[in-house]
């Protein structure tokens, strides 16, 4: 039995009445679960999975206390679990089920088959995927990335992978933190680890509420007023944020300083964070610390903490991880690497991350950027601009388009002029998952006039285009080729 499950049993004996998790169940009722009750519930559901002879469980549901019990029960029953993000498109969901070969579905699957039973408010379905098991031996969890294209990639993680990173993070936390708030979707590996496993190892209380209660919709939309109200009500000591939500928190605290009073540790990851943003947070009393991680290493690889922090870096490596740079300054990592991708075991000693980086003499890692063109949004979603651009050809065949938005809260499309551009962009957005939709639109009257934007064979020079788009957004300088601008921001601070 791994140390996470042992901690549940130990806490159930040493402090049975201590609240392990507080929040909402799957149907929205507010409840609490003590460590004694958690141990009992996990055992009961694990026995159910064993009786069903479940091999691979796909869990699709909003955050809830029921979600975490299903997750821990699958771990105890040694059944592979596949968390399925609720913001995946139908095509991505079908791909996930087909790739994993899931035989049991738990949660929101009304469109599939009729449920056979219900456990902890969660419907359970038997499912015939038609595929044999393709995940690797010893796989405890398959985490599917949001996908840089329409087909997410499944990372096979062992129980040991998950235990290693959870223990390392628990050791890095301050002892006086007694109340964590889960904000991001639990289907996100980082949130899964930091909101369930780490609090159990620390023996503290974690608060798990539905996304709407906290102001979150989908993967990248935030109701700032609801978020502020949640901070007042739940008084968390710790949270994990993506950069876009950190920016919202900074705006909130700048107006209502008391909102940060309870905070002792705020980890920020999922995308690059500007050093100025971290500095601004600290000046406002927000203890924000940047980290870096990969699904291929069970989430966190490096982290800044209160005692070991350097602005502009992603912190020091966790103890079980080693890193070095290639000749091209690509970050290479080993230690706690995943088993591999579905049907594709890792065999190399060092894993090439695809990130350009530097490592200073004190061991602090700085991520410089992606080796290729992949965009990582401010909400931590991986997006290939070529994917969105190719989808746009269906709706705007006569209009060239280039997509930008690395580390931003939303994507920007620079597009040639044409009829009903905005309407056609909206139609395009309906075919994309929410994190890959175009929210900012710059219409250029004649993109062909920008010779410096394209190579001789017509391929976009992305750095030139991104630089121009950044100037437009930051300075709003009038440009003779810009005939229209539509900027739909993720956060409406004026509503507060």
């Amino acid at each position: 039995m791994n140390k996470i499950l042992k901690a549940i049993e130990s806490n159930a004996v040493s402090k049975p009445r201590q609240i392990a998790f507080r929040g909402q169940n799957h149907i929205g009722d507010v409840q609490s679960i003590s460590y004694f009750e958690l141990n009992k519930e996990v055992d009961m559901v694990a026995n159910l999975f064993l009786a069903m002879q479940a091999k691979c469980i796909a869990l699709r549901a909003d955050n809830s206390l029921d979600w975490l019990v299903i997750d821990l029960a699958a771990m105890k029953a040694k059944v592979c679990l596949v968390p399925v993000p609720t913001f995946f498109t139908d095509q991505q969901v079908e791909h996930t089920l087909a790739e994993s070969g899931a035989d049991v579905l738990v949660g929101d699957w009304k469109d599939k088959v009729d449920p056979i039973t219900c456990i902890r408010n969660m419907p359970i379905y038997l499912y015939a995927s038609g595929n044999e098991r393709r995940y690797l031996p010893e796989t405890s969890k398959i985490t599917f990335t949001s996908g840089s294209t329409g087909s997410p990639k499944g990372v096979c993680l062992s129980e040991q992978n998950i235990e290693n990173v959870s223990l390392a993070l628990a050791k890095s936390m301050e002892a006086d933190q007694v109340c964590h708030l889960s904000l991001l979707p639990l289907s996100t590996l980082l949130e899964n680890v930091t909101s369930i496993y780490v609090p159990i190892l620390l023996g503290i209380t974690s608060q798990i509420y539905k996304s709407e209660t906290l102001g979150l919709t989908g993967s990248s939309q935030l109701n700032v007023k609801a978020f502020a109200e949640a901070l007042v009500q739940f008084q968390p000591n710790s949270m994990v944020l993506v950069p876009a939500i950190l920016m919202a928190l900074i705006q909130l605290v700048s107006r209502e300083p008391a909102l940060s009073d309870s905070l002792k540790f705020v980890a920020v990851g999922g995308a690059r964070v500007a050093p100025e943003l971290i500095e601004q947070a600290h000046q406002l009393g927000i203890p924000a610390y940047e980290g870096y991680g990969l699904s291929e290493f069970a989430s966190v690889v490096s982290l800044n903490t209160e005692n070991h922090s350097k602005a502009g870096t992603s912190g020091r490596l966790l103890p079980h991880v080693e890193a070095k740079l290639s000749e091209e300054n690509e970050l290479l990592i080993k230690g706690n690497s995943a088993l591999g991708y579905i049907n594709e075991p890792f065999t190399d000693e060092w894993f090439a991350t695809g990130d350009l980086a530097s490592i200073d003499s004190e061991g602090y890692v700085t991520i410089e950027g992606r080796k290729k063109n992949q965009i990582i949004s401010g909400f931590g979603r991986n997006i290939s601009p070529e994917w969105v651009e190719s989808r746009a050809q269906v709706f705007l065949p006569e209009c060239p388009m280039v997509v930008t938005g690395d580390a931003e809260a939303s994507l920007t499309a620079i597009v040639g002029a044409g009829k009903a551009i905005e309407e056609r962009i909206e139609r395009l957005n309906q075919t994309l998952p929410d994190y890959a939709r175009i929210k900012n639109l710059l219409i250029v009257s004649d993109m062909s006039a920008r010779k410096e934007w394209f190579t001789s064979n017509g391929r976009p020079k992305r750095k030139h285009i991104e630089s121009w788009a950044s100037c437009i957004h930051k300075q709003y300088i009038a440009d003779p080729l810009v005939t229209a601008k539509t900027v739909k921001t993720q956060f409406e601070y004026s509503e507060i």
Side-chain angles (χ1 to χ4, degrees), residues 9 64 68 98 102 105 116 133 138 164 170 212 233 236 246 248 258 292 308 329 349 357 363 369 404 414 436:
E9 293 187 353
S64 72
L68 69 92
L105 311 182
I116 60 168
R133 189 189 77 179
E138 305 300 323
N164 287 343
E212 185 178 359
Q233 181 178 355
L246 175 62
Y292 167 77
H308 301 284
N329 288 327
E349 180 182 10
T404 67
I414 299 93

Side-chain angles (χ1 to χ4, degrees), residues 415-436:
V415 62
K419 293 182 179 179
I421 292 290
E422 293 186 32
E423 290 81 358
R424 289 190 282 169
I425 290 292
E426 287 300 322
R427 285 161 51 200
L428 165 65
N429 281 340
Q430 294 306 310
T431 71
L432 298 167
D434 65 349
Y435 59 83

Side-chain angles (χ1 to χ4, degrees), residues 214-245:
L214 305 175
L216 281 169
T217 305
S219 66
S220 56
Q221 299 175 50
L222 180 68
N223 180 320
V224 182
K225 184 177 181 180
F227 178 41
E229 291 171 349
L231 293 176
V232 172
Q233 181 178 355
F234 304 130
Q235 294 291 300
N237 297 144
S238 60
M239 296 186 297
V240 175
L241 307 179
V242 290
I245 300 180

Side-chain angles (χ1 to χ4, degrees), residues 49-310:
F49 291 153
L50 290 171
M52 293 174 61
Q53 297 184 326
K55 300 295 188 296
C56 183
I57 298 169
L59 172 58
R60 180 172 69 168
D62 193 3
N63 290 5
S64 72
L65 301 179
D66 301 319
W67 198 107
L68 69 92
V69 171
I70 299 295
D71 178 84
L72 292 167
M75 180 184 286
K76 188 154 194 177
K78 294 191 178 298
V79 177
C80 178
L81 185 77
V82 184
V84 181
T86 58
F87 53 79
F88 269 14
T89 65
D90 290 343
Q91 292 80 6
Q92 289 175 320
V93 170
E94 292 297 332
H95 171 81
T96 298
L97 293 179
E99 285 287 289
S100 64
D103 60 344
V104 174
L105 311 182
V106 180
D108 300 327
W109 299 97
K110 293 179 181 179
D111 57 325
K112 294 297 177 189
V113 288
D114 294 329
I116 60 168
T117 187
C118 187
I119 190 71
R120 280 203 59 93
N121 307 294
M122 289 267 202
I124 296 181
Y125 310 77
L126 294 180
Y127 182 71
S129 66
N131 292 341
E132 296 183 0
R133 189 189 77 179
R134 301 181 64 209
Y135 58 86
L136 303 174
E138 305 300 323
T139 297
S140 175
K141 179 166 290 179
I142 306 174
T143 181
F144 279 83
T145 65
S146 57
S148 58
T149 66
S151 299
K153 203 164 188 176
V155 179
C156 298
L157 297 165
S158 69
E159 200 172 90
Q160 191 65 53
N161 290 146
I162 295 168
E163 179 183 305
N164 287 343
V165 73
S166 300
L167 285 169
L169 290 174
K171 290 178 181 178
S172 71
M173 302 290 281
E174 293 298 315
D176 60 347
Q177 294 173 29
V178 296
C179 185
H180 179 82
L181 178 63
S182 176
L183 189 64
L184 307 177
L186 287 172
S187 56
T188 303
L189 181 61
L190 175 63
E191 194 71 16
N192 193 173
V193 169
T194 56
S195 292
I196 299 179
Y197 308 141
V198 172
I200 287 172
L201 290 168
L202 292 172
I204 65 174
T205 299
S206 183
Q207 301 184 90
I208 312 289
Y209 288 87
K210 286 184 169 292
S211 299
E212 185 178 359
T213 301
L214 305 175
L216 281 169
T217 305
S219 66
S220 56
Q221 299 175 50
L222 180 68
N223 180 320
V224 182
K225 184 177 181 180
F227 178 41
E229 291 171 349
L231 293 176
V232 172
Q233 181 178 355
F234 304 130
Q235 294 291 300
N237 297 144
S238 60
M239 296 186 297
V240 175
L241 307 179
V242 290
I245 300 180
L246 175 62
M247 287 188 282
L249 180 61
I250 287 172
Q251 291 292 328
L252 285 168
V253 174
S254 67
R255 299 183 181 189
E256 297 290 340
L259 288 176
S260 66
D261 286 352
S262 68
L263 296 175
K264 299 180 183 298
F265 187 85
V266 177
V268 187
R272 297 197 312 273
V273 185
E276 296 82 2
L277 198 64
I278 296 294
E279 181 180 354
Q280 186 178 2
H282 287 182
Q283 289 176 349
L284 291 169
I286 302 170
Y289 298 95
E290 184 179 358
Y292 167 77
L294 300 163
S295 296
E296 289 84 353
F297 284 80
S299 71
V300 183
V301 169
S302 65
L303 182 67
N304 283 292
T305 64
E306 182 178 1
N307 295 325
H308 301 284
S309 179
K310 182 175 289 189

Side-chain angles (χ1 to χ4, degrees), residues 219-222 242-245 247 271 375-381 383 385 388 402-414 425 429 432-442 466 469-470 473 486-493:
S219 66
S220 56
Q221 299 175 50
L222 180 68
V242 290
I245 300 180
M247 287 188 282
I375 290 170
I376 302 182
S377 76
F379 280 91
R381 300 297 159 202
I383 308 157
V388 180
V402 176
V403 173
T404 67
D406 195 50
E408 299 292 339
S410 56
L411 296 185
T412 295
I414 299 93
I425 290 292
N429 281 340
L432 298 167
D434 65 349
Y435 59 83
R437 292 173 182 169
I438 302 300
K439 297 294 178 68
N440 308 319
L441 184 60
L442 301 180
E466 289 169 359
S470 178
H473 281 301
T486 302
V487 180
K488 302 175 184 177
T489 58
Q490 291 283 347
F491 308 112
E492 296 294 338
Y493 300 117

